[in-house]
Amino acid sequence: MGFARTCSVALVGVEGVVVEVQADLEPGVAAFTLVGLPDKSLVESKDRVRAAVVNSGAEWPQKKLTVGLSPAAVPKSGSGFDLAVACAVLAASERLDPREIADLVLIGELGLDGRVRPVPGVLPAVLAAADAGYRQVVVAERTAAEASLVPGVSVLGIRSLRQLIAVLTDAPVPEEEPLQEGRPDPMLAGLSVPGAGLGTGVLLGERQPDLAEVAGQAKARMALEVAAAGRHHLLLHGPPGAGKTMLAERLPGLLPPLTPQESLEVTAVHSVAGTLPAGQPLLDRAPYCAPHHSASMPSLVGGGSGLPRPGAVSLAHRGVLFMDEAPEFSGRVLDALRQPLESGHVIVARSGGVLRLPARFLLVLAANPCPCGRHGMLGEGCDCAPQVVRRYRARLSGPLLDRVDLRVTVEPVARSELTGAGTGSETTAEVAERVRAARERASARLADMPWATNSEVPGHELRTRWRVDPGALAEAERDMERGMLTARGLDRVLRVAWTVADLAGHDRPDAGDVNCALELRTGVHRGTVLAGDRP
C-alpha cells in the first residue's frame, strides 16, 4: 500500500483555504476515486491527470487509487488541483519521494500532453499558503511573476509535469519546445474568464484621459478634485451631452497610486475574476468599472452558480465605480449599494456559501433630469409628463443619496467655453498633485488611526477629536433645524469640509470650508467662493 500527500489551495471568493491532497494506493481492480466535495471541473481532473502522467513518461499505477481533498467540508472548484493530484499519485506509486512534496503547495492545471497551464486566482492562493506557514510554491511559468509578489515565499515556475518530476528527482531538467514567434500563446487563455472585463466595463492598462480635455465645468472639476482628495461619493446631475461621462472617466487619473497593500488587494480580486491584463501581474493604479444600466444584481454585488464570484463593486475596490444613467438601474440593484458604501465590503449569501468580498470604492452616479433629458432646458421641449419625471427621479432613493457626499449640477457647455477648450484648463497631473498633497495632510492628521481618508472617519471623532473653527457650523446647524440635513448628512458635510480644508492648506475647517461642503452637498448656493478658487 502506498500513501502520499501534498497541498494545494481552494479559493472561496477572494480568500484561499489550504487543501491537503492525499493519494492512497491499494491492491484491487484499477479505479480512480476522487473525494472531498469536488465540483464538475475538478471531477474531470481524473482523466486529465491520467493522460498527463502517461504522456510525461511516467507509469500510471494499475491499482485501486483514492484521492482525497481535505478538509472535505470546503467546496473545491476549478482545475488548479491537477498538479497536486498528479504529484500525490506519483509519490504514492514511489515515482517521487513523498517527503519532497509533503510541504509543497502546487497550483496549476494539466494539459493532456503534460503541460502546466495557468489558472486564475494565483495571487490570493499564494497569500493563503503564506499565511498558513508554507514557504515553497509551484505554479505555471506564466503565473510565476504574480505568485512572486508575496514576500517570504519561494516560487518555482514550470512549463510541464516532466520538468517538475526532473526537479524533484534531481534529474536533468528537459527543455520544452519554445513557442514559435508570431503564434498566439494558448497558455494565456487560462488567465482570463471570457467576457469578465467586458461584462463589467472594467478598464485597466488603458491610456488615462486628461482633465484638460474637458471644456468649462469649473464647479464639476472642483467636485472631482474634492472627491479624489477625500474619497467622497459624487452625483453628477445634468442634461445629456454636458460632459458627465467625460468627467467620471478622468477621476481615476486624479487618485494617488495604490499603496503596496492596496495593490495586493486589488490584484487579488482581479486575479480571481480573470480580468488581469496580460503581462501585468501587479495593478498599481486605481481600477475603473462602469457597468451597463441593465446589469443584474449578481453582476454588480457578486454571485453566480455555486460559490459567488466578485461583482462590479469588488472589481472597483480601491478605485471608481461609475454608474451612468443611474436612474435606469433596477431599484434593487441601487439599494444593494448601501451596505458596501458604509462598510467597505459586501456580504453575499448563496446556496454554495456566504462570502465577504472587499468593496471599498468611490461611487460616481450620473443622472439626467428626466427620461428624455430635456427637462428645464432653455429652448428645448420636454415631452415627459410630471408624474413620469417624479417617478424617474425617485428611483434614486433617499437613503442612497444620503450616502452621497457631493451633488453637482453639470450645466451645458457654452459655445465660448467649447471653442476655447484647452486654453488655461488644468491637466490631470496638476490636479493630481494637489490631491496628493491633500491626502498627505490627511494622513499626517490620521496617523496611528485605522482610517486613511476623510470619508472613513466616524462622525463622532470629527465632532470630538478634530473640531472646526468656532461658529463654522452655523449654516449646517440651521439646515438641520429646517430638515435639509440628517445626522448622517451633517457628519458627511464635516468630512467634506476637512477635505476642502486639506486642499486649501488650512489647519482646520473654517466657515468658508463648511459652507463650500454644504453647497456641494445640497446644491444651494451659499455665496461662498469655490474651494478651487480660494487662497
Side-chain angles (χ1 to χ4, degrees), residues 50-317:
R50 181 186 292 108
V53 168
V54 172
N55 289 327
S56 298
E59 184 180 352
W60 184 260
Q62 298 301 317
K63 295 182 180 180
K64 181 181 178 181
L65 171 62
T66 303
V67 174
L69 308 175
S70 179
V74 176
K76 289 90 177 175
S77 61
S79 56
F81 293 88
D82 289 2
L83 193 58
V85 171
C87 288
V89 172
L90 291 173
S93 62
E94 300 181 352
R95 178 67 174 82
L96 298 175
D97 186 349
R99 294 171 298 180
E100 293 290 333
I101 65 169
D103 295 325
L104 283 182
V105 175
L106 302 108
I107 306 167
E109 176 186 333
L110 286 176
L112 300 184
D113 57 355
R115 289 182 299 171
V116 180
R117 304 179 63 92
V119 293
V122 166
L123 178 59
V126 177
L127 284 170
D131 291 341
Y134 291 88
R135 293 294 175 260
Q136 292 182 309
V137 177
V138 179
V139 297
E141 187 179 54
R142 289 293 184 182
T143 53
E146 181 182 342
S148 299
L149 297 173
V150 181
V153 176
S154 175
V155 178
L156 173 62
I158 58 170
R159 298 181 60 187
S160 68
L161 181 60
R162 286 183 291 271
Q163 289 185 338
L164 180 58
I165 294 174
V167 170
L168 295 175
T169 57
D170 293 328
V173 179
E175 289 291 335
E176 296 295 331
E177 182 179 350
L179 183 69
Q180 294 183 9
E181 187 176 353
R183 293 188 60 185
D185 189 353
M187 293 297 182
L188 296 178
L191 293 177
S192 60
V193 177
L198 296 175
T200 55
V202 175
L203 301 178
L204 292 169
E206 299 189 2
R207 184 191 74 87
Q208 290 286 347
D210 200 290
L211 195 60
E213 301 167 357
V214 179
Q217 305 299 356
K219 187 174 182 180
R221 291 166 61 100
M222 184 268 292
L224 282 187
E225 184 175 342
V226 174
R231 198 177 285 276
H232 302 289
H233 306 305
L234 172 65
L235 168 64
L236 299 173
H237 182 272
K244 301 186 295 295
T245 302
M246 282 189 69
L247 290 163
E249 289 176 345
R250 283 148 182 79
L251 181 54
L254 302 181
L255 298 176
L258 300 177
T259 65
Q261 178 60 35
E262 291 173 344
S263 294
L264 288 178
E265 293 176 8
V266 173
T267 304
V269 173
H270 287 271
S271 178
V272 171
T275 57
L276 275 182
Q280 188 175 352
L282 182 67
L283 301 178
D284 56 0
R285 290 189 327 193
Y288 173 81
C289 188
H292 192 260
H293 65 258
S294 62
S296 63
M297 176 83 77
S299 71
L300 191 73
V301 301
S305 59
L307 286 173
R309 296 181 59 83
V313 296
S314 297
L315 294 174
H317 181 58

Side-chain angles (χ1 to χ4, degrees), residues 107 112 147 166 202 210 223 238 347 367 413 482 513 522:
I107 306 167
L112 300 184
V202 175
D210 200 290
I347 304 295
V413 181
R482 297 168 186 162
D513 297 326
T522 63

